[in-house]
Amino acid sequence: MTYSFELPLLALLILTAGGAIIVKELISAVLILGAYSFFLALVWAWLGAADVAFVEAVVGAGLATVFFLLTLSQTSPEDTRIRRPPPPIIAVIALPLLGLLLLYAANDLPAFGDPASPASVHVSPHYIENSLADTRTPNVVTSVLMDYRVLDTLIETVVVFTSGIACWLLLRRDAE
Amino acid sequence: MIDSPFGSVIVRRTASLLVSLVQLFALYVLFFGQYGPGGGFVAGVMIAASLVFGLLVFGEDSETAQRATRLLAGDGVGLLLFVAVGGLCLIGGGEFLNYSQAPIPGLDSAARRYLGILMTQVGVALDVAVAAVSIVYSLSRNVESENTDA
């Protein structure tokens, strides 16, 4: 596998993620986070997950940025700059160790695209083979989301509905 | 923030072009989600994004804003449509949301499933669009009431 595309993308991802944390102005942090979402969408598209890339670009970079900016515009101007205490020593030592541990554990993950990995031998072959005959839906992601696993999607829709209602009830105090 | 529309001609012209284009593309994403990437969730977010965009550029009294306000009345309709399709399958004698049992005459099992997927996707899109617009309204309005209270 060639890494000519992945490595610059990974560097940009780490740069934008770090920049969103380090930068002092919150509005800049929100915009950098939007750029991070776009790079992440590129990664998903590169890995072949077009649906996930689509959602990441629209929700992560578009809608979440608008939510953040609207929230910032409602807070008082003093809130937009934050002062950070220096990180505690234990975090400086422990977090790189945790990262190394995760990298070590990642060795045991199946290789990308491995046909013998547990995820691709359980129910995925059945979905991929039968989706077109069962549902006339060439996009297997859609048929899994909306037919084979539709109860999950129903509950997700309930969650979205509840979040809209909850925001309305909590934040709209002039509604009475 | 929402009360002050932008004065710039460029922004307003671009927005008036983009809002309808984004809505058209959202419909494409919704109805071709079974053939390409996309589907109800993304389409709903895109419809909401186009309305919020118009709301931010044209202000609260514009046609787009009125459309967004009218959309809020549809809170829960999408979820109701989703559950109604499931109930229809129950009436037809199948399990909840087993589209192949939906009592629609003249269609075979695969076509019923196709139709069921399409209907539930429309439900998801409506639900997500209403929820997103409602969150934007909740985030953007409360400061006025606090100012008048104080």
Side-chain angles (χ1 to χ4, degrees), chain A residues 38-63:
Chain A
F38 264 122
F39 290 131
L40 200 57
L42 276 181
V43 172
W44 292 128
W46 178 253
L47 291 176
D51 288 86
V52 186
F54 211 161
V55 172
E56 180 68 45
V58 171
V59 179
L63 202 61

Side-chain angles (χ1 to χ4, degrees), chain B residues 7-62:
Chain B
S8 164
V9 178
I10 298 173
V11 172
R12 296 177 72 90
R13 283 301 296 169
T14 315
S16 63
L17 277 176
L18 267 183
V19 166
S20 43
L21 260 182
V22 169
Q23 282 168 357
L24 192 67
F25 189 60
L27 287 180
Y28 164 76
V29 166
L30 174 60
F31 290 108
F32 283 80
Q34 281 160 300
Y35 301 97
F41 190 78
V42 186
V45 174
M46 283 172 75
I47 291 172
S50 73
L51 289 174
V52 171
F53 185 39
L55 193 67
L56 291 174
V57 173
F58 300 118
E60 289 226 316
D61 302 322
S62 64

